[in-house]
Amino acid sequence: MSYTLHRGDALTVLKTLPDESVNAVITDPPYNSGGRTSADRTGRTARAKYVTSNSAHDLANFPGENRDQRSYRSWLTELLTESYRASTERAVAMVFTDWRQEPTTTDALQMAGWTWSGTIPWIKPASRPRKGGPKQDSEFIIWGVKGALDSTRDLYLPGHYIASQPRKDRVHITQKPVEIMQQLVQVCPEGGTVLDPFTGSGSTGVAALREGRRFVGVELSSHYADVAEQRLRAELTKDDFELAGPEV
């Protein structure tokens, strides 16, 4: 398996991808959330929004967290439209979001042409409590299909996932668990290509390579592009080492 990591703006890069060149889109875009007012959402960094003040880690910030609701929907719609064009028929798109942006994300997915097919809860046992109310322990994966699902595939995935964000060796503020991503990338046929326009630290790519898929990623932050490159190369090197063991 192989990967391609583009360094740059997601929309700019997506426009250069050939038609019907990827088999699944799995991505975790900046939520542009984390606040109840426009000033809260557009005037604070990602770290200020999503990291508690007493957090022990000092992970790097990431760009793209300054859009209000209307501009976020327009921007995400255009991104998912280009992703739709670059995807093969029957491809699946999976987009992470939170409760604030879930309605907007489902709008954008459908406006881009995808058939919205469900919402998958991701439940995080280790999450922040809310004083006086229910614990905020869930994010969501909005998913849709280009056309209709391939009913000939013998694939059955869970309708929800339970896993906390990585703590050991965590390298990104909003890093997703690889064990979840390894299940999600199975919507891509074996040997096919998974696209992630917001690669971050590369968890989708690592999962794709582990599951026998190719990977195309895009990352705007030079810091996180370096992190993703290191993780993806390490995954390929690990595979090469295993395959290049003693001959029998």
Side-chain angles (χ1 to χ4, degrees):
M1 291 299 102
S2 62
Y3 73 87
T4 302
L5 181 60
H6 300 275
R7 295 168 180 256
D9 173 70
L11 187 54
T12 302
V13 173
L14 285 176
K15 290 180 178 179
T16 70
L17 298 183
D19 293 354
E20 301 187 358
S21 59
V22 302
N23 308 102
V25 181
I26 303 174
T27 194
D28 179 23
Y31 290 175
N32 287 265
S33 187
R36 300 183 186 282
T37 68
S38 177
D40 283 342
R41 287 190 293 271
T42 63
R44 295 190 296 157
T45 65
R47 182 174 175 83
K49 290 180 181 180
Y50 306 129
V51 180
T52 56
S53 58
N54 61 349
S55 176
H57 69 69
D58 188 27
L59 299 173
N61 200 32
F62 59 85
E65 279 285 339
N66 60 343
R67 296 176 178 86
D68 64 16
Q69 192 85 3
R70 288 167 59 192
S71 62
Y72 181 70
R73 188 178 74 165
S74 177
W75 171 76
L76 188 59
T77 298
E78 191 169 2
L79 281 157
L80 292 175
T81 299
E82 287 297 330
S83 299
Y84 184 91
R85 176 194 57 77
S87 296
T88 56
E89 191 73 13
R90 302 189 186 281
V92 172
M94 293 182 157
V95 186
F96 280 82
T97 189
D98 70 357
W99 65 270
R100 298 178 186 89
Q101 297 288 43
E102 182 184 10
T104 295
T105 304
T106 60
D107 286 349
L109 187 78
Q110 294 174 91
M111 291 166 71
W114 300 91
T115 300
W116 179 26
S117 302
T119 300
I120 306 167
W122 166 35
I123 302 166
K124 304 176 290 182
S127 52
R128 69 179 70 176
R130 181 190 295 176
K131 188 175 182 180
K135 185 179 183 181
Q136 293 179 269
D137 69 349
S138 300
E139 294 182 31
F140 305 94
I141 306 162
I142 308 302
W143 73 280
V145 187
K146 182 173 181 177
L149 280 176
D150 184 356
S151 60
T152 65
R153 294 189 66 203
D154 189 22
L155 177 67
Y156 297 90
L157 293 177
H160 72 277
Y161 295 92
I162 302 175
S164 295
Q165 279 189 296
R167 291 193 171 185
K168 183 181 178 182
D169 301 325
R170 185 172 174 181
V171 291
H172 194 283
I173 293 173
T174 63
Q175 187 170 336
K176 301 300 183 282
V178 173
E179 61 265 31
I180 289 181
M181 305 312 295
Q182 282 186 248
Q183 294 190 67
L184 297 184
V185 298
Q186 292 176 36
V187 299
C188 175
E190 191 167 352
T193 301
V194 177
L195 169 66
D196 185 353
F198 302 96
T199 296
S201 60
S203 295
T204 305
V206 169
L209 295 177
R210 287 185 185 178
E211 295 299 321
R213 277 74 175 168
R214 293 186 293 271
F215 177 69
V216 174
V218 188
E219 179 52 41
L220 179 59
S221 163
S222 58
H223 168 78
Y224 283 120
D226 288 343
V227 172
E229 188 81 54
Q230 291 170 8
R231 293 182 74 200
L232 291 166
R233 284 185 179 178
E235 193 63 32
L236 286 182
T237 302
K238 171 184 161 188
D239 292 343
D240 290 343
F241 178 78
E242 290 174 353
L243 292 173
E247 294 183 2
V248 178

